[in-house]
Amino acid sequence: MLTAPDFKKKQIVFIFFNEGEKMALSNSNLVVRKADGSIKFQCTCYRLFLVFAIGHCSVTSALLQAAKKFGFFLAMMTAGFRLYSLIGAEKDGNNLLHRKQYSYSGIDIAIQITCNKISNQLAELKSVRQKSIAVKEAISALSEYRGKAEQAQNLNELLAYEGLASKMYFRNHFNNIPWNGRQPRVKRDYLNATLDIGYTLLFTFIDTLLSSYGFDTYYGVMHRQFYMRKSLTCDLVEPFRPIIDHTIKKGINLREIKESDFLQINGQYRLKWEESSRYVKIFMLPLLENKEEIFLYIQRYYRAFMKELPGKEFPVYAYMEEQ
């Protein structure tokens, strides 16, 4: 298993591919070559943890073998940041962990995750210096929803409080622009499209960490099983979403994120290709600042799950201290 000191030294790399470019292995190095054969990028495999490959490219079988050998992942993504394959150092043979996953049927872990998420949403709202009456009311409502979530008797009840808290949170967090509601993957406005990009990068990072420990990421504790949905990854993304939310609001206020960065195609907002690397940098800076905390959260979650600890002893991620 990957240790915290080892992970600290590992690199997360983003590569944007153009037509005809290839990703290959050369002397224990990952090498990206342009269509004319010249080297575009090179990095030692010993330092890699995750490579985001964005756009169309070809990949050699030698590099896929190296990913297994050196313990890194290739996250294959479309130009629109849709993850379609995660390849590399998965620990698929952790049978003991899988048996524990499939035999678990409680809601105590889901309660811990949900309350952790609402706490981080609360901390984000409380960080606002000049609070309007609406924000103060939202803080009070979220505190109430968190208390009710702690006492939830079944998953449907828990998810209802989580949904109510998120609706109230979004409406008051994104009060710097018109907010028409969260609609994942619909991309009906540039804010929803930006949230999709940030959440996808976060999702891929969490999914990679879970795969490195051997979890069946399709088997969740809160988002229960649905065909081809990585439910466990959806679960453990929840406490970390405010990292993305805070980054987007800050970016909008600083004019780093704006509607003119997007194209409208068939009623959907699509980020312009030339803006892609800049948006990745916007999101990855805060994620990299928190990467060790995210790693330790997943590591502690794994240990708690293997020991079959009660939900209250599972890890908590505090994005910022509640004021």
Side-chain angles (χ1 to χ4, degrees), residues 91-298:
K91 299 293 189 299
D92 293 333
N94 196 336
N95 296 320
L96 178 58
L97 172 59
H98 290 176
R99 287 201 299 271
K100 290 179 182 290
Q101 281 190 264
Y102 304 151
S103 64
Y104 175 78
S105 59
I107 66 165
D108 56 327
I109 302 175
I111 288 174
Q112 180 79 336
I113 293 170
T114 301
C115 291
N116 190 180
K117 176 186 179 180
I118 297 175
S119 292
N120 285 337
Q121 291 173 332
L122 267 168
E124 180 64 32
L125 290 181
K126 288 180 178 180
S127 70
V128 176
R129 292 183 179 179
Q130 300 296 327
K131 299 179 181 65
S132 65
I133 294 175
V135 170
K136 291 178 181 178
E137 290 175 349
I139 290 171
S140 177
L142 260 67
S143 297
E144 182 179 347
Y145 291 141
R146 181 177 59 183
K148 290 181 177 180
E150 289 176 346
Q151 304 301 320
Q153 299 299 307
N154 56 65
L155 192 59
N156 288 336
E157 184 181 349
L158 178 65
L159 292 175
Y161 292 130
E162 185 271 338
L164 289 169
S166 291
K167 186 176 181 179
M168 179 69 73
Y169 162 76
F170 275 123
R171 186 165 64 244
N172 288 276
H173 176 66
F174 291 115
N175 56 7
N176 52 339
I177 64 169
W179 173 250
N180 298 311
R182 174 67 179 136
Q183 287 192 317
R185 296 174 295 281
V186 175
K187 306 180 192 303
R188 71 174 182 179
D189 52 50
Y190 84 96
L191 178 51
N192 269 288
T194 306
L195 283 165
D196 284 348
I197 295 169
Y199 287 161
T200 297
L201 296 176
L202 172 62
F203 180 97
T204 304
F205 186 27
I206 299 291
D207 192 48
T208 303
L209 288 169
L210 289 170
S211 297
S212 71
Y213 276 93
F215 280 99
D216 180 346
T217 56
Y218 291 90
Y219 203 88
V221 296
M222 184 168 72
H223 295 86
R224 294 298 166 91
Q225 288 48 263
F226 188 79
Y227 180 71
M228 295 303 293
R229 180 179 69 187
K230 293 192 171 186
S231 297
L232 181 62
T233 308
C234 292
D235 291 346
L236 299 193
V237 161
E238 297 294 357
F240 302 98
R241 289 186 187 273
I243 298 175
I244 302 300
D245 304 335
H246 177 87
T247 301
I248 292 176
K249 184 171 184 178
K250 178 182 177 182
I252 292 172
N253 288 336
L254 296 175
R255 297 290 295 164
E256 295 175 339
I257 296 172
K258 50 191 182 296
E259 190 170 5
S260 60
D261 296 333
F262 294 79
L263 298 171
Q264 287 192 59
I265 303 174
N266 297 325
Q268 292 190 329
Y269 279 73
R270 302 286 182 180
L271 183 66
K272 295 176 181 176
W273 175 250
E274 60 268 25
E275 298 288 350
S276 297
S277 60
R278 187 171 67 83
Y279 269 61
V280 163
K281 184 177 180 180
I282 288 172
F283 289 119
M284 286 312 297
L285 283 175
L287 288 180
L288 291 176
E289 288 173 359
N290 287 272
K291 79 167 193 174
E292 291 177 51
E293 288 80 2
I294 297 173
F295 170 81
L296 290 172
Y297 178 95
I298 300 299

Side-chain angles (χ1 to χ4, degrees), residues 74-93:
L74 301 172
M76 311 302 294
M77 308 182 82
T78 67
F81 295 97
R82 181 179 63 82
L83 177 69
Y84 62 86
S85 186
L86 185 66
I87 311 167
E90 306 96 312
K91 299 293 189 299
D92 293 333

